[in-house]
Structure formats: structure tokens, C-alpha cells
């Protein structure tokens, strides 16, 4: 009887831990700190300026210090990090306006459609990927015209 009790407890323990680990795999990048740590581990020489996760938490787009961009995707039990080189990505809008379709020319296995919380984030990320992003803090005053940009 004691042996069956121990076997039952072990089976219940294995079931509990396996469902817990599956739930963590499904969560993706719900914690921005985890994304920062994982990208920093993969590319320690790159300084992160900003990041945006997709609605489902399975991908994170990263803006780096020198207007480069990075990409992270949850791949079951690990995270794939990718540094996007200029000219190696194509970006198009999704019909709902809240997402973008991305084609990585140098890493086709990361291609996909990514949906964000709102259209402004989708537009910002698309500008990062295309290398055109210039934020308000990055703008310098133009002395000739007295305007910024």
C-alpha cells in the first residue's frame, strides 16, 4: 500500500511539473526583462534602446543603439535571436492595420505576420526594420529653418 502511495505521488508530481513547464512555454515574452536578458546574452555588444512584443508574446522586435534592429522569437524551449542587417528585410502592412508581414531575406524561417497592440506600434516597428526611424529625441534643430527634423 505504501509503495502504491509513493508511485501515485510521483506520477502526480511529474504531471504537475510537466503542465507547469508547458504553460511557461506558451507564455512567450510576457516579461520584457526576460527579452532584454536573452537578447543581451546573444548580442552582448549591442545596446537596446526600445523593444515591442507582439500581442501573443511569441516575438519581440528590438531597436538598438545605432538604429539597427533585432528580432527574437520563442522557439518552444529556447529563444532565437537575430540581428537584422540593413537591406535584408521586407515589410508590408496587414489589412487590420495592427500588424506587419515581415520577410527576412537572410533567415526565411523567421518570416511571418506579426500583430501588435495598436497601429502606432506596428508603424514604429516597421520603421525600425526599414532603418528610417528618427524619434523626437533623436532630432536636432535645423538652424537654417528653425525647425526640427
Amino acid at each position: 500500500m505504501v509503495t502504491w502511495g509513493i508511485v501515485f505521488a510521483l506520477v502526480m508530481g511529474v504531471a504537475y511539473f510537466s503542465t507547469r513547464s508547458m504553460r511557461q512555454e506558451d507564455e512567450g515574452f510576457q516579461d520584457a526583462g526576460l527579452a532584454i536578458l536573452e537578447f543581451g546574452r546573444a548580442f552582448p555588444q549591442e545596446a537596446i534602446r526600445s523593444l515591442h512584443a507582439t500581442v501573443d508574446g511569441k516575438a519581440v522586435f528590438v531597436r538598438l543603439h545605432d538604429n539597427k534592429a533585432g528580432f527574437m522569437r520563442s522557439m518552444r524551449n529556447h529563444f532565437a535571436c537575430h540581428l537584422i542587417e540593413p537591406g535584408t528585410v521586407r515589410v508590408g502592412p496587414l489589412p487590420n492595420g495592427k500588424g506587419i508581414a515581415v520577410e527576412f531575406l537572410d533567415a526565411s524561417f523567421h518570416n511571418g505576420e506579426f500583430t501588435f497592440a495598436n497601429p502606432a506600434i506596428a508603424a514604429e516597428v516597421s520603421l525600425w526594420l526599414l532603418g528610417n526611424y528618427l524619434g523626437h529625441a533623436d532630432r536636432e534643430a535645423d538652424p537654417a529653418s528653425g525647425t526640427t527634423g
Side-chain angles (χ1 to χ4, degrees):
M1 186 71 145
V2 173
T3 305
W4 285 111
I6 293 172
V7 169
F8 181 73
L10 287 173
V11 169
M12 293 303 292
V14 168
Y16 172 76
F17 285 112
S18 66
T19 58
R20 185 173 174 197
S21 67
M22 287 176 59
R23 189 176 15 194
Q24 287 176 346
E25 285 178 11
D26 291 340
E27 288 177 1
F29 292 106
Q30 301 303 326
D31 179 18
L34 176 62
I36 291 170
L37 288 173
E38 291 296 327
F39 196 85
R41 187 177 305 155
F43 299 104
Q45 71 282 6
E46 300 293 341
I48 297 173
R49 291 181 83 171
S50 181
L51 53 88
H52 288 297
T54 57
V55 172
D56 63 3
K58 302 239 185 248
V60 174
F61 289 86
V62 182
R63 179 179 178 215
L64 302 172
H65 71 287
D66 54 357
N67 288 330
K68 289 193 281 184
F71 175 74
M72 297 179 64
R73 177 175 258 170
S74 177
M75 308 283 287
R76 286 191 171 200
N77 58 354
H78 71 282
F79 302 102
C81 299
H82 179 68
L83 190 61
I84 300 169
E85 298 295 328
T88 62
V89 66
R90 292 184 187 148
V91 180
L94 292 181
N96 67 5
K98 289 185 174 184
I100 54 177
V102 180
E103 181 183 357
F104 296 97
L105 302 177
D106 59 344
S108 61
F109 51 91
H110 287 309
N111 293 351
E113 295 181 347
F114 304 96
T115 304
F116 298 95
N118 61 53
I121 293 173
E124 185 177 345
V125 170
S126 67
L127 289 174
W128 295 354
L129 296 177
L130 297 174
N132 300 352
Y133 188 73
L134 187 63
H136 292 289
D138 299 330
R139 295 181 184 169
E140 295 179 18
D142 183 6
S145 67
T147 61
T148 59

